[in-house]
Amino acid sequence: MSSSEPKGDLGLIGLAVMGQNLILNAADHGFTVVAYNRTVSKVDHFLANEAKGKSIIGAHSLEDLVSKLKRPRKVMLLIKAGAPVDTTINHLVPLLDKGDIIIDGGNSHFPDTNRRYEELKAKGIYFVGSGVSGGEEGARYGPSLMPGGAEEAWPYIKNIFQSIAAKSDGEPCCDWVGPAGAGHYVKMVHNGIEYGDMQVICEAYDIMKRIGGFTDKEISEVFAKWNKGVLDSFLVEITRDILKVNDTDGTPLVEKILDTAGQKGTGKWTAINALDLGMPVTLIGEAVFSRCLSALKEERIRASTKLLGPEIPKDAVKDKQAFIDDLEQALYASKIISYAQGFMLIRQAGKDYGWKLNNPAIALMWRGGCIIRSIFLGEITKAYRADPDLENLLFDKFFTDALNKAQPGWRRSIGLATSYGVPTPAFSTALAFYDGYRSKRLPANLLQAQRDYFGAHTFRVLPEAANDHYKEGEDIHFDWTGHGGHVSATTYDA
Ligand SMILES: *[C@@H]1O[C@H](CO)[C@@H](O)[C@H](O)[C@H]1NC(C)=O
Ligand SMILES: *[C@@H]1O[C@H](CO)[C@@H](O)[C@H](O)[C@H]1NC(C)=O
């Protein structure tokens, strides 16, 4: 190691758990990694312990880091999102040359990544924003990586990224997502979907517990069985395991946990973006709102003594097997809707932001390594491989058939929960979306009439209803009260 030729394949800034594990992962795959942290003692400690004997070099300054990297230099940041990323980039850029690559592997919000991509492009630096999912374990043994930004960088980082990423049937769960902030965008939607997946699992648990009268051990056994079928996934698997854990007094630990959910904001970002783009991503929205409602614990306690609901009899469920089978279909169908909505959002983002997105690769990247990994994503990958521009996931035969088969049980589960007063916000919103999506006619005709009545907002007529005075495609205002004017509203907003 005494040669002055730089040896580093990748520089990594930020030695928190994710950073350390990603470095060890890359070193295991034969890459030489240069590790840096602003707190230099962290670098020395890491080098003397976890990194000892591996192809990992320490750096004591950004200059030192840069000097140890092969060209074009590839520097990855795994630090706290927000201002620290800008600060570090600002210190780094004067040390780099045109054509060098900066990768942000943190949880940055995609508009920040868009901005940094543009700023760095102007300086000749290739900027990549990459979603990284899978937690500590994933970072160490194979995360899901979702890189986007300057595509010129991809040939230089492809080998490292695909080597360290999780594999699904031998294929790396990492491919190029698209331009600018697309990588972080897709990671944001991944997190939103994760919110939804968790919520639907919680609803199934709540129904089994409160209506079925199941013990946590019995519920764990149901999840264990589901995990061998269409719902096979990381989140179902950990739910099975969580429900088995007893506290020292021999009762389930999960029942001692305060029922107010926290959130870091990525689910909220997805829901806000869905509203911005006008996409009905209702399940993720409900999942975020459900966490908000859970946080109102004190109010809920007061309401529980005032607001009435039905009693749940001990024998509410007569046929346990049928009850569980219906519930499995409810969970499965709701999950299909949630993913279809997520891909509707991604498709719209592609249009609105002018991004060419790699849909089959997105599904494959979520197939392994990350929190939402599941068997099911294999089917989504197949659907988008068969038709990369698929209008809607629900039009793929596999999913059309799955929903058509699931819908009777899905309806029965929601009906049962509703009649016994157990909330199913995600199951219900998914079904409402399903029924709305498959409705040729929705009551928005009346809504348009209301808007025209109070605000002269105009309406159009159905093609088959067009006639001499109501022409197709024409904005019409009708004098509903008989004493209004015929002037339609352009500025007036009631
Ligand atoms: C240094 O490491 C800490 C964790 O130990 C991490 O939170 C921080 O982001 C790192 N900062 C830089 C600039 O390397
Ligand atoms: C937890 O306790 C229940 C009884 O409350 C028991 O049936 C179960 O086996 C225990 N689980 C474990 C993992 O020890």
Side-chain angles (χ1 to χ4, degrees), residues 217 243-247 249-252:
K217 187 160 173 282
L243 290 162
K244 276 194 295 211
V245 174
N246 290 337
D247 194 8
D249 63 2
T251 68

Side-chain angles (χ1 to χ4, degrees), residues 158-181:
K158 183 176 177 177
N159 187 26
I160 303 181
F161 268 53
Q162 294 196 333
S163 299
I164 65 176
K167 306 292 181 297
S168 164
D169 299 325
E171 285 186 277
C173 296
C174 170
D175 205 341
W176 190 249
V177 177

Side-chain angles (χ1 to χ4, degrees), residues 13-16 36-39 42 78-80 88:
I13 302 176
L15 295 182
Y36 171 73
N37 191 283
R38 201 185 36 211
T39 311
K42 284 205 194 318
L78 270 169
I79 60 177
K80 196 169 153 36
T88 307

Side-chain angles (χ1 to χ4, degrees), residues 7 90 167 373 381 483:
K7 293 195 172 56
N90 290 341
K167 306 292 181 297
R373 63 183 181 258
T381 308
H483 46 72

